[in-house]
Amino acid sequence: MNPAQAPYHFQTALQPLLLQAFTQLANAVFITDTAGRIEWANHAFCALSGYEFDELLGRTPSLLSSGSEGPVFYAELWQKVLSGRVWHGQVIDKRKDGTLYAADETITPLRNEDGAISHFVAVQQDITQQLALDNTTRSKGRLEIWSRYPNRAAFLDLLSAAMSRASRSTAHTAVVRIALDGHPDLHGQLSVTGNTLLCAAADRLSNTVRQSDTLAHVGDAEFAILATGIDNRDIALALANKLQAALAAPFVVRGNRIVLQASIGIAMSPEDGAEAGALLCNADHALYQATLQGTNRCQFFERSFAHGPGGQLVSARTAQ
């Protein structure tokens, strides 16, 4: 099916001209329903993603997920657009052939005649080469973090092994998810200030956890801790309090005092998940709930989280 023949109708006398303009626009454009299912895409988006239109139709943008952004990132994105506001930011997506591309993306809610949100229009501009040229300050801090700490995939492997060992004893395993905030340079394309903050925060977290714990960098300004031998929630909460206290002291970057906030979500095995992927996902849900409560909050996972609005928002982009 040709994208120009897709069943999307502009409520205007200029429908043919507008459809032609959207179809031939140099920027990649796709339109989804409120559940995130793709209903229309132009030629530029098909070329950028590597997918034919028939392969995109009815799928969600999770098809493009590279794993570079964590569930909290997408939960906040969906929360914003579902409230009727425009979202703008940078994403790292994955083409059909597995290669990655960076896009400057804007998502705009569309309202019907009754004022209810009916669709979302996403416009992407490929900035892969631009970021490659402007990669010096961005990469130094990120590469330093990536080289010193496991990423999300490696963390899952370590978590799976730890849970397997724990299953042969009475020991519990906890996943502590941490999202940093308090300075705009921590998000998106990192500046020198953002790089310095991220590295300094990682050092404080690393120096705070026990030698038996594992710290991983799992998102832009997000970390995860694998804590073994956690017998109960009180011990896990004490660890979370220590982490927040460690981050509470101001950071001095280029002569400026910067105070960061740390939202924390905790999931414990076996009660919150008997498999590594489920336990990490539930820690993500707990973290998302903590961010909804304000700054410097800590939240344990509850079963209701995975089935409420937060769970739906996360899965709309990250579920495969």
Side-chain angles (χ1 to χ4, degrees):
M1 182 186 294
N2 188 298
Q5 299 172 339
Y8 187 84
H9 304 286
F10 293 95
Q11 300 300 319
T12 173
L14 295 177
Q15 176 184 334
L17 178 60
L18 289 173
L19 186 56
Q20 181 181 14
F22 267 74
T23 301
Q24 298 182 16
L25 199 65
N27 284 354
V29 181
F30 64 94
I31 298 174
T32 77
D33 62 15
T34 54
R37 293 183 292 264
I38 295 174
E39 293 190 356
W40 186 90
N42 69 353
H43 298 301
F45 182 69
C46 292
L48 181 61
S49 67
Y51 287 95
E52 298 293 334
F53 180 70
D54 285 341
E55 296 176 296
L56 294 168
L57 186 63
R59 302 292 298 272
T60 69
S62 64
L63 183 68
L64 308 173
S65 178
S66 67
S68 298
E69 291 84 13
V72 171
F73 173 87
Y74 289 115
E76 292 175 348
L77 181 160
W78 279 95
Q79 182 186 34
K80 187 167 187 177
V81 297
L82 285 172
S83 71
R85 294 175 291 168
V86 175
W87 180 89
H88 176 256
Q90 293 180 3
V91 296
I92 305 296
D93 280 343
K94 182 170 63 175
R95 298 184 179 91
K96 182 180 179 180
D97 64 8
T99 60
L100 303 182
Y101 69 92
D104 185 87
E105 183 171 0
T106 300
I107 302 176
T108 303
L110 294 182
R111 296 184 182 274
N112 58 25
E113 294 178 354
D114 297 327
I117 296 173
S118 61
H119 294 82
F120 299 109
V121 178
V123 180
Q124 290 190 337
Q125 180 180 355
D126 185 2
I127 57 172
T128 308
Q129 292 184 351
Q130 174 187 334
L131 288 187
L133 292 173
D134 191 30
N135 212 19
T136 304
T137 59
R138 174 186 171 92
S139 293
K140 282 183 179 179
R142 290 290 176 84
L143 289 175
E144 182 179 347
I145 294 294
W146 284 337
S147 65
R148 292 166 55 195
Y149 303 105
N151 60 17
R152 190 179 180 91
F155 181 81
L156 272 172
D157 290 339
L158 294 170
L159 177 59
S160 180
M163 292 176 67
S164 178
R165 292 191 299 270
S167 67
R168 297 189 289 270
S169 68
T170 59
H172 291 245
T173 302
V175 172
V176 181
R177 285 281 281 109
I178 306 165
L180 303 180
D181 204 354
H183 196 282
D185 286 7
L186 280 173
H187 308 282
Q189 184 175 343
L190 287 186
S191 65
V192 174
T193 298
N195 285 330
T196 304
L197 273 174
L198 189 63
C199 292
D203 288 340
R204 287 197 190 177
L205 293 173
S206 179
N207 291 332
T208 302
V209 298
R210 305 168 304 172
Q211 289 187 345
S212 59
D213 297 336
T214 301
L215 175 68
H217 178 229
V218 296
D220 277 351
E222 296 182 16
F223 294 88
I225 294 170
L226 163 58
T228 57
I230 301 295
D231 293 332
N232 53 61
R233 284 191 169 193
D234 289 340
I235 296 176
L237 182 59
L239 173 60
N241 289 337
K242 285 180 61 178
L243 295 169
Q244 287 181 323
L247 294 169
F251 294 82
V252 179
V253 179
R254 310 180 80 182
N256 297 316
R257 289 167 58 87
I258 300 172
V259 177
L260 297 184
Q261 291 86 47
S263 297
I264 293 180
I266 303 173
M268 298 182 63
S269 177
E271 57 265 38
D272 296 333
E275 183 269 329
L279 189 65
L280 180 56
C281 181
N282 288 339
D284 289 337
H285 283 304
L287 174 60
Y288 175 66
Q289 293 296 326
T291 62
L292 294 181
Q293 297 172 23
T295 58
N296 289 325
R297 297 302 182 97
C298 179
Q299 176 66 58
F300 283 92
F301 174 74
E302 302 293 345
R303 286 292 169 188
S304 60
F305 295 167
H307 304 289
Q312 292 177 336
L313 295 180
V314 171
S315 63
R317 178 82 181 202
T318 59
Q320 294 297 325

Short mmCIF file of all heavy atoms in Angstrom, two decimals, residues 24-47:
data_model
loop_
_atom_site.label_atom_id
_atom_site.label_comp_id
_atom_site.label_asym_id
_atom_site.label_seq_id
_atom_site.Cartn_x
_atom_site.Cartn_y
_atom_site.Cartn_z
N GLN A 24 5.23 14.21 0.47
CA GLN A 24 6.50 14.55 -0.15
C GLN A 24 7.42 15.37 0.76
O GLN A 24 8.52 15.73 0.35
CB GLN A 24 6.24 15.31 -1.45
CG GLN A 24 5.46 14.50 -2.47
CD GLN A 24 5.24 15.24 -3.77
OE1 GLN A 24 5.89 16.25 -4.06
NE2 GLN A 24 4.30 14.76 -4.58
N LEU A 25 7.00 15.63 1.99
CA LEU A 25 7.80 16.42 2.92
C LEU A 25 9.16 15.75 3.14
O LEU A 25 9.26 14.53 3.25
CB LEU A 25 7.06 16.54 4.25
CG LEU A 25 7.48 17.66 5.21
CD1 LEU A 25 7.19 19.01 4.59
CD2 LEU A 25 6.73 17.51 6.53
N ALA A 26 10.20 16.57 3.22
CA ALA A 26 11.54 16.01 3.41
C ALA A 26 11.70 15.39 4.79
O ALA A 26 12.42 14.40 4.95
CB ALA A 26 12.59 17.10 3.20
N ASN A 27 11.05 15.96 5.80
CA ASN A 27 11.10 15.38 7.14
C ASN A 27 10.23 14.13 7.21
O ASN A 27 9.20 14.03 6.55
CB ASN A 27 10.61 16.39 8.18
CG ASN A 27 11.65 17.46 8.47
OD1 ASN A 27 12.76 17.40 7.99
ND2 ASN A 27 11.27 18.45 9.25
N ALA A 28 10.64 13.21 8.05
CA ALA A 28 9.88 11.98 8.25
C ALA A 28 8.65 12.29 9.10
O ALA A 28 8.76 12.93 10.15
CB ALA A 28 10.75 10.93 8.92
N VAL A 29 7.49 11.82 8.67
CA VAL A 29 6.24 12.07 9.37
C VAL A 29 5.46 10.77 9.49
O VAL A 29 5.37 10.00 8.53
CB VAL A 29 5.37 13.11 8.63
CG1 VAL A 29 4.07 13.36 9.40
CG2 VAL A 29 6.12 14.41 8.42
N PHE A 30 4.92 10.52 10.68
CA PHE A 30 3.96 9.43 10.81
C PHE A 30 2.85 9.86 11.76
O PHE A 30 3.03 10.73 12.60
CB PHE A 30 4.61 8.12 11.26
CG PHE A 30 5.23 8.13 12.63
CD1 PHE A 30 4.52 7.72 13.75
CD2 PHE A 30 6.56 8.53 12.80
CE1 PHE A 30 5.10 7.72 15.02
CE2 PHE A 30 7.14 8.53 14.06
CZ PHE A 30 6.41 8.12 15.17
N ILE A 31 1.68 9.24 11.60
CA ILE A 31 0.50 9.57 12.39
C ILE A 31 0.02 8.31 13.09
O ILE A 31 -0.08 7.25 12.46
CB ILE A 31 -0.62 10.16 11.51
CG1 ILE A 31 -0.15 11.47 10.85
CG2 ILE A 31 -1.88 10.41 12.33
CD1 ILE A 31 -1.14 12.04 9.86
N THR A 32 -0.27 8.42 14.39
CA THR A 32 -0.77 7.29 15.15
C THR A 32 -2.13 7.61 15.75
O THR A 32 -2.51 8.78 15.86
CB THR A 32 0.19 6.90 16.30
OG1 THR A 32 0.02 7.83 17.39
CG2 THR A 32 1.64 6.91 15.85
N ASP A 33 -2.84 6.56 16.16
CA ASP A 33 -4.04 6.78 16.95
C ASP A 33 -3.63 6.99 18.40
O ASP A 33 -2.43 7.03 18.72
CB ASP A 33 -5.03 5.62 16.80
CG ASP A 33 -4.46 4.28 17.28
OD1 ASP A 33 -3.42 4.26 17.98
OD2 ASP A 33 -5.06 3.23 16.95
N THR A 34 -4.57 7.12 19.30
CA THR A 34 -4.24 7.43 20.69
C THR A 34 -3.60 6.26 21.42
O THR A 34 -3.05 6.43 22.51
CB THR A 34 -5.50 7.86 21.47
OG1 THR A 34 -6.51 6.86 21.32
CG2 THR A 34 -6.01 9.20 20.93
N ALA A 35 -3.64 5.07 20.85
CA ALA A 35 -2.96 3.91 21.43
C ALA A 35 -1.56 3.75 20.87
O ALA A 35 -0.85 2.81 21.24
CB ALA A 35 -3.77 2.64 21.19
N GLY A 36 -1.16 4.66 19.98
CA GLY A 36 0.18 4.61 19.43
C GLY A 36 0.31 3.77 18.17
O GLY A 36 1.42 3.57 17.68
N ARG A 37 -0.79 3.27 17.61
CA ARG A 37 -0.72 2.44 16.40
C ARG A 37 -0.60 3.34 15.17
O ARG A 37 -1.38 4.28 14.98
CB ARG A 37 -1.96 1.55 16.29
CG ARG A 37 -2.04 0.48 17.37
CD ARG A 37 -3.25 -0.42 17.14
NE ARG A 37 -4.49 0.31 17.35
CZ ARG A 37 -5.17 0.31 18.50
NH1 ARG A 37 -4.71 -0.39 19.53
NH2 ARG A 37 -6.28 1.00 18.61
N ILE A 38 0.36 3.05 14.33
CA ILE A 38 0.64 3.87 13.16
C ILE A 38 -0.46 3.69 12.11
O ILE A 38 -0.79 2.57 11.72
CB ILE A 38 2.01 3.51 12.56
CG1 ILE A 38 3.12 3.86 13.55
CG2 ILE A 38 2.23 4.25 11.23
CD1 ILE A 38 4.51 3.41 13.12
N GLU A 39 -1.05 4.82 11.67
CA GLU A 39 -2.09 4.81 10.65
C GLU A 39 -1.61 5.37 9.32
O GLU A 39 -2.19 5.07 8.27
CB GLU A 39 -3.31 5.61 11.12
CG GLU A 39 -4.04 4.99 12.31
CD GLU A 39 -5.37 5.66 12.59
OE1 GLU A 39 -5.70 6.65 11.90
OE2 GLU A 39 -6.10 5.19 13.49
N TRP A 40 -0.57 6.18 9.37
CA TRP A 40 -0.08 6.81 8.13
C TRP A 40 1.38 7.16 8.32
O TRP A 40 1.83 7.49 9.43
CB TRP A 40 -0.90 8.07 7.83
CG TRP A 40 -0.59 8.72 6.51
CD1 TRP A 40 -1.18 8.46 5.32
CD2 TRP A 40 0.38 9.74 6.27
NE1 TRP A 40 -0.64 9.25 4.33
CE2 TRP A 40 0.34 10.05 4.90
CE3 TRP A 40 1.31 10.42 7.07
CZ2 TRP A 40 1.15 11.01 4.31
CZ3 TRP A 40 2.13 11.37 6.49
CH2 TRP A 40 2.05 11.67 5.13
N ALA A 41 2.14 7.08 7.23
CA ALA A 41 3.55 7.50 7.25
C ALA A 41 3.92 7.98 5.86
O ALA A 41 3.41 7.48 4.85
CB ALA A 41 4.46 6.34 7.68
N ASN A 42 4.81 8.97 5.80
CA ASN A 42 5.20 9.46 4.48
C ASN A 42 6.42 8.72 3.96
O ASN A 42 7.02 7.87 4.64
CB ASN A 42 5.41 10.98 4.49
CG ASN A 42 6.63 11.40 5.30
OD1 ASN A 42 7.27 10.59 5.97
ND2 ASN A 42 6.95 12.69 5.24
N HIS A 43 6.81 9.06 2.74
CA HIS A 43 7.93 8.36 2.10
C HIS A 43 9.23 8.56 2.88
O HIS A 43 10.04 7.64 2.99
CB HIS A 43 8.11 8.87 0.66
CG HIS A 43 6.93 8.61 -0.22
ND1 HIS A 43 6.44 7.34 -0.46
CD2 HIS A 43 6.13 9.47 -0.93
CE1 HIS A 43 5.40 7.42 -1.28
NE2 HIS A 43 5.19 8.70 -1.57
N ALA A 44 9.42 9.77 3.42
CA ALA A 44 10.67 10.06 4.14
C ALA A 44 10.80 9.19 5.38
O ALA A 44 11.91 8.74 5.72
CB ALA A 44 10.73 11.54 4.51
N PHE A 45 9.70 8.93 6.09
CA PHE A 45 9.77 8.09 7.27
C PHE A 45 10.06 6.64 6.89
O PHE A 45 10.84 5.96 7.56
CB PHE A 45 8.47 8.16 8.07
CG PHE A 45 8.51 7.36 9.33
CD1 PHE A 45 9.32 7.74 10.39
CD2 PHE A 45 7.77 6.20 9.46
CE1 PHE A 45 9.38 7.00 11.56
CE2 PHE A 45 7.81 5.45 10.62
CZ PHE A 45 8.62 5.85 11.67
N CYS A 46 9.46 6.17 5.81
CA CYS A 46 9.76 4.81 5.34
C CYS A 46 11.23 4.68 4.98
O CYS A 46 11.88 3.69 5.31
CB CYS A 46 8.88 4.47 4.14
SG CYS A 46 7.11 4.31 4.53
N ALA A 47 11.77 5.69 4.30
CA ALA A 47 13.18 5.65 3.91
C ALA A 47 14.09 5.72 5.13
O ALA A 47 15.11 5.01 5.21
CB ALA A 47 13.49 6.81 2.96
#
